[in-house]
Amino acid sequence: PGPGHRASIAIGAAVLGLWAVGQALGGLDGLRPELADVPSLVRPGFVARIEGGRGFAAQLFPGHLAALLAMALPLTLDRSSSTLWSRARWVVMGAIVAGIVATRSPVGVGLAVLAVLVASGGGSRRWLVPGLVGGVAAVGIVFLRPELLRLQPLVDRWDNWWAALWVWWQQPV
């Protein structure tokens, strides 16, 4: 796609990001009275979504939105467009990043950092700012979601990585 198409996709993603921010800031609370009309079979999922406080916009899960926004983030790095886009892209980038934070998805933060690194060429110093921003965002996500440190799948992966490192240190070849 051309520069105009990339900007349109990035702007659409920014709208989803702002939608997620609105949801995370309590925009879902107004749906509580409507839960009476939701079929009882799917009502627990809706209640969990409202009580979770994580933005998901129109996606099924917050992590899905985070991945979508992370894929759109490099489109804001396009400098080949008009002067208007060169100014507006920072606002669009901010809305996308805010949406990723609203999902509170550590995977989304990791994907966003990776996407920006790949899109920027990954030079020796080019990774520094995205890496630092990503690191701060990841710490912020864990601060916002301390239960991540107790989720069994993450605990199991952490143990597996430490076991793999131990094996490597014992027998590196």
Side-chain angles (χ1 to χ4, degrees):
H5 292 112
R6 289 190 291 266
S8 297
I9 294 168
I11 291 168
V15 169
L16 288 175
L18 292 175
W19 186 359
V21 169
Q23 289 173 332
L25 292 176
L28 296 172
D29 291 335
L31 295 176
R32 287 189 188 277
E34 306 295 327
L35 286 174
D37 297 333
V38 174
S40 61
L41 187 62
V42 294
R43 191 174 302 137
F46 280 79
V47 170
R49 195 59 66 73
I50 290 171
E51 290 174 354
R54 296 174 61 198
F56 56 91
Q59 301 301 307
L60 187 58
F61 299 110
H64 291 177
L65 177 63
L68 179 113
L69 295 176
M71 288 187 291
L73 191 58
L75 299 175
T76 63
L77 301 176
D78 181 19
R79 295 183 177 147
S80 64
S81 295
S82 67
T83 305
L84 177 62
W85 174 246
S86 67
R87 292 184 184 131
R89 71 189 180 105
W90 294 103
V91 174
V92 172
M93 185 185 301
I96 291 173
V97 168
I100 292 171
V101 171
T103 67
R104 296 189 298 204
S105 170
V107 172
V109 171
L111 287 174
V113 170
L114 182 64
V116 170
L117 288 176
V118 169
S120 67
S124 61
R125 290 195 175 191
R126 291 184 142 175
W127 65 268
L128 188 61
V129 172
L132 288 174
V133 169
V136 169
V139 168
I141 294 294
V142 171
F143 178 75
L144 290 171
R145 293 189 58 205
E147 79 276 5
L148 287 175
L149 299 176
R150 294 183 302 277
L151 285 177
Q152 196 57 46
L154 294 179
V155 170
D156 291 344
R157 286 186 184 115
W158 181 258
D159 290 342
N160 288 343
W161 278 105
W162 276 113
L165 285 173
W166 179 81
V167 169
W168 175 258
W169 287 323
Q170 300 301 315
Q171 297 291 327
V173 178

